[in-house]
Amino acid sequence: MDKPEEGVQNVQESARERRKTSRLQIVLNVVACIAALGMLAAITVQMSRQKEVTETGPVTPGYVRGTVVTKDNVDEVLASAGESVPAGSYNCTMNVEWHFEDSGKASYDAYVLNSAFNTYTVYFDVSLRETNELVYSSPYIPVKAELDSIQLTSRLDKGEYPAIVTYHLVDEDLKELSTVSVAITLFIEN
Amino acid sequence: MKLKRISALMLAAVMTVGGATTVMADPLNTATGGGTTITGEGKVDYVNTKIYSVTLPTTAAMDLTIDPQGLTGLENGKTATLKELEDYAGLVASKGKALVTNCSSVKIKVSVELLGTGSATFVDSAAAVEAEGENILLYALPSAVDVQDNADNYEASTTGVLISTGSGTTLDFVLEPAEYVVSKSDSGALSYKPKDGQKGHGTAISFEGAVNKDADWSAYSGAAATKTIGMTAVFTYDADLDGAVADTTEGAPYGMVAMGSGTITVAAKAKAPSIGATGTYNKATGVITATVNLGTGAKATTLKSAKYGSSSDGATNEVVSPKIEGTTFTGSVSSSVKSGWSSKAAGSTVYAVITLDDGTSEAVALTVQ
């Protein structure tokens, strides 16, 4: 008597266990799906942002373009001559010396605010002055938002690195409007 | 680490005009001159982090238009004479003015490194532009006056700073701080914020120049362009002035540190006339004083008429012996009006309508003294 009951009990427990495992599996699958979708979205946003930069943005920090007027573009040049320049200035509220315990950790004092003076969302790239190597690319920062957990994407040895922060001003559709470049110094302490 | 982050946030609020004021609700023990040193009641730690608030121009304001053929002399849909086109031929101009404003609470040095780029040859004189080749003379022309928050206030100086290739050119500006005030709440907390209406101090820069009109610039334009022309602009700023001092000699660009070389003198630009909106009336002497700028160069004009009255609409009496010396307008009311207005309270307002020959006119509000 005991044995069959034990057997039934075991089967029931086993079934319960399977149901538990199955529920856990479902939860894990859902979490995994959400994570995968999130990553996909992040990659898509990142890729689309880089696409914008590639299509419209200069590679050289602070690049100011010269347009030679010809009969083909003179109407366009004249049409824009009287207009005020959109995204013509940007209020930089930030520090210019960023310290890192080591390049694998977020800076403990880097700080960037897209101040209330500004109109446009921005993101920024940090590149080394000597090599032009891109060592950080920020997420989009809306007006009045700040960023203070900045972790480089490249490994740098201990030392002092002159760098350039290039802010990219974007419109509501995240289309790039203009840029401004500011020199900073990265200090890698270990 | 956490403390350092908090401190950085505090400094940002201190240094930002109209910025994240909510952070300022936190009590501060001290806020010392310049706002770069703040200590708090244990929860805010001092850290050697300086956060500045500086308005800088973007590339959109500096983009250059290069017009070898003078086509910008054409108005949309209209024709132009050959002479009109010639006047524009070879000109280089930036689309806007590059505004640089210090909104921080400390004096700072702002530097801009400018470097000519592309295939054209950057030269240093108008004569060199005309030599054979794709030559460009490009210079930065900073404002002669404190521009504050609006590039529309720009007035061209006569110092052009040449832009070249190679190691480039650096312009240094020492810019005065915005005015901040410290106030104390009922709880004794100190807050440090910009004075009402304070917009900082700064400059604006126009980029101008010329290219060789006779060169073939076709490779620089259109979808199939094989050559480029432009420059790079990278800004740096710091409260460490490193001994830099603004050149205050008359006519020098506002806030700019004098350069030993690399500059050219640019002809003074015609300045439009203007009339100040306010002035004074001295009831003891019957004299009206106002500020009138008659403009310069091709835009210079003269005084056409000046009338006064108790209201702007009623300003129909001719000012007696009106004259303008420098930018100071003076004239008198008649002896009978002077007698009648002697009972007017100090601080009340009467009016003078001043009109110039070019059509500029202003109803000037005169404060009775």
Side-chain angles (χ1 to χ4, degrees):
Chain A
M1 290 295 283
D2 283 345
K3 275 187 181 173
E5 279 175 5
E6 243 179 49
V8 171
Q9 222 171 17
N10 284 344
V11 170
Q12 285 171 341
E13 275 175 12
S14 165
R16 271 200 298 273
E17 204 56 46
R18 272 202 306 277
R19 277 199 298 273
K20 258 193 210 168
T21 310
S22 166
R23 272 192 224 113
L24 187 64
Q25 193 65 51
I26 290 168
V27 170
L28 285 174
N29 285 346
V30 169
V31 169
C33 281
I34 291 170
L37 283 171
M39 281 175 70
L40 190 66
I43 290 166
T44 308
V45 167
Q46 186 71 16
M47 282 175 69
S48 68
R49 200 184 75 186
Q50 285 180 352
K51 184 166 173 281
E52 297 271 356
V53 176
T54 308
E55 282 178 354
T56 62
V59 175
T60 310
Y63 182 71
V64 175
R65 186 182 46 214
T67 300
V68 174
V69 182
T70 65
K71 61 182 174 50
D72 297 324
N73 66 9
V74 65
D75 289 343
E76 194 185 326
V77 171
L78 286 170
S80 65
E83 295 173 359
S84 63
V85 180
S89 63
Y90 177 75
N91 178 267
C92 293
T93 300
M94 63 185 290
N95 57 344
V96 291
E97 292 184 349
W98 295 1
H99 295 82
F100 300 79
E101 279 188 353
D102 68 59
S103 65
K105 291 183 179 170
S107 168
Y108 60 78
D109 62 357
Y111 178 80
V112 171
L113 169 74
N114 186 354
S115 87
F117 274 134
N118 296 321
T119 309
Y120 298 97
T121 292
V122 297
Y123 72 92
F124 65 86
D125 294 328
V126 182
S127 55
L128 301 183
R129 289 202 85 157
E130 275 192 18
T131 61
N132 210 24
E133 179 191 354
L134 183 70
V135 294
Y136 179 76
S137 194
S138 80
Y140 290 109
I141 310 170
V143 173
K144 296 184 188 174
E146 63 200 12
L147 194 64
D148 63 349
S149 291
I150 295 169
Q151 185 171 341
L152 303 180
T153 49
S154 297
R155 296 294 296 187
L156 297 176
D157 293 336
K158 179 180 177 181
E160 195 177 315
Y161 295 85
I164 296 177
V165 172
T166 298
Y167 290 95
H168 300 254
L169 281 65
V170 298
D171 66 11
E172 302 168 334
D173 301 321
L174 303 179
K175 188 181 170 202
E176 188 165 320
L177 300 170
S178 58
T179 67
V180 58
S181 295
V182 180
I184 64 165
T185 307
L186 307 177
F187 294 90
I188 311 297
E189 294 168 348
N190 293 293
Chain B
M1 217 71 77
K2 180 74 175 167
L3 292 179
K4 288 178 176 179
R5 282 242 295 272
I6 292 169
S7 182
L9 291 174
M10 295 300 294
L11 286 167
V14 166
M15 307 295 283
T16 307
V17 179
T21 50
T22 50
V23 183
M24 293 309 298
D26 284 357
L28 300 176
N29 264 349
T30 57
T32 59
T36 54
T37 306
I38 298 174
T39 58
E41 295 166 331
K43 66 183 207 175
V44 179
D45 190 20
Y46 169 71
V47 61
N48 188 22
T49 296
K50 299 167 185 171
I51 297 169
Y52 310 112
S53 177
V54 185
T55 297
L56 297 174
T58 68
T59 49
M62 296 183 278
D63 276 347
L64 303 167
T65 300
I66 297 150
D67 189 7
Q69 298 168 286
L71 296 175
T72 50
L74 285 165
E75 283 184 47
N76 274 337
K78 293 184 180 172
T79 56
T81 65
L82 205 54
K83 171 75 176 72
E84 284 169 328
L85 291 185
E86 279 172 3
D87 288 344
Y88 285 84
L91 292 184
V92 177
S94 52
K95 179 155 172 57
K97 305 286 188 299
L99 179 66
V100 179
T101 310
N102 178 17
C103 306
S104 309
S105 61
V106 289
K107 185 187 277 192
I108 60 171
K109 181 172 85 168
V110 180
S111 303
V112 53
E113 300 164 41
L114 299 166
L115 178 68
T117 64
S119 312
T121 303
F122 284 72
V123 298
D124 59 6
S125 69
V129 170
E130 303 303 329
E132 190 180 341
E134 295 153 8
N135 305 320
I136 178 170
L137 171 70
L138 182 63
Y139 55 86
L141 192 58
S143 173
V145 299
D146 182 0
V147 167
Q148 300 194 353
D149 72 327
N150 191 339
D152 292 344
N153 300 326
Y154 169 88
E155 283 182 23
S157 66
T158 55
T159 303
V161 180
L162 291 164
I163 296 167
S164 61
T165 53
S167 57
T169 308
T170 300
L171 284 76
D172 294 324
F173 295 90
V174 175
L175 300 177
E176 295 296 322
E179 283 184 71
Y180 280 65
V181 291
V182 180
S183 60
K184 194 173 182 180
S185 72
D186 293 342
S187 65
L190 294 178
S191 65
Y192 193 51
K193 61 180 185 181
K195 197 173 171 181
D196 285 347
Q198 186 57 224
K199 290 168 179 170
H201 298 277
T203 185
I205 306 167
S206 178
F207 294 93
E208 302 183 0
V211 292
N212 183 2
K213 292 177 277 192
D214 301 325
D216 179 4
W217 294 93
S218 57
Y220 291 80
S221 60
T226 55
K227 293 181 177 179
T228 61
I229 186 168
M231 65 176 183
T232 60
V234 175
F235 293 87
T236 312
Y237 52 86
D238 202 320
D240 181 3
L241 304 183
D242 199 22
V245 178
D247 181 1
T248 53
T249 55
E250 195 175 342
Y254 174 80
M256 199 173 97
V257 178
M259 298 178 72
S261 60
T263 61
I264 55 170
T265 301
V266 178
K269 297 208 186 292
K271 194 170 157 184
S274 61
I275 303 169
T278 58
T280 58
Y281 170 69
N282 187 322
K283 64 180 182 179
T285 60
V287 172
I288 291 166
T289 306
T291 302
V292 176
N293 189 324
L294 291 172
T296 59
K299 294 179 180 173
T301 188
T302 53
L303 179 68
K304 183 177 183 183
S305 67
K307 298 179 179 181
Y308 65 89
S310 294
S311 66
S312 56
D313 290 341
T316 54
N317 304 304
E318 295 283 348
V319 173
V320 178
S321 305
K323 63 179 177 183
I324 298 169
E325 288 180 347
T327 57
T328 304
F329 169 93
T330 54
S332 302
V333 300
S334 67
S335 53
S336 60
V337 170
K338 179 187 168 192
S339 173
W341 283 3
S342 63
S343 61
K344 283 194 177 288
S348 60
T349 306
V350 294
Y351 290 85
V353 174
I354 299 173
T355 304
L356 306 181
D357 273 319
D358 74 330
T360 304
S361 185
E362 180 75 37
V364 183
L366 307 169
T367 303
V368 176
Q369 294 180 326

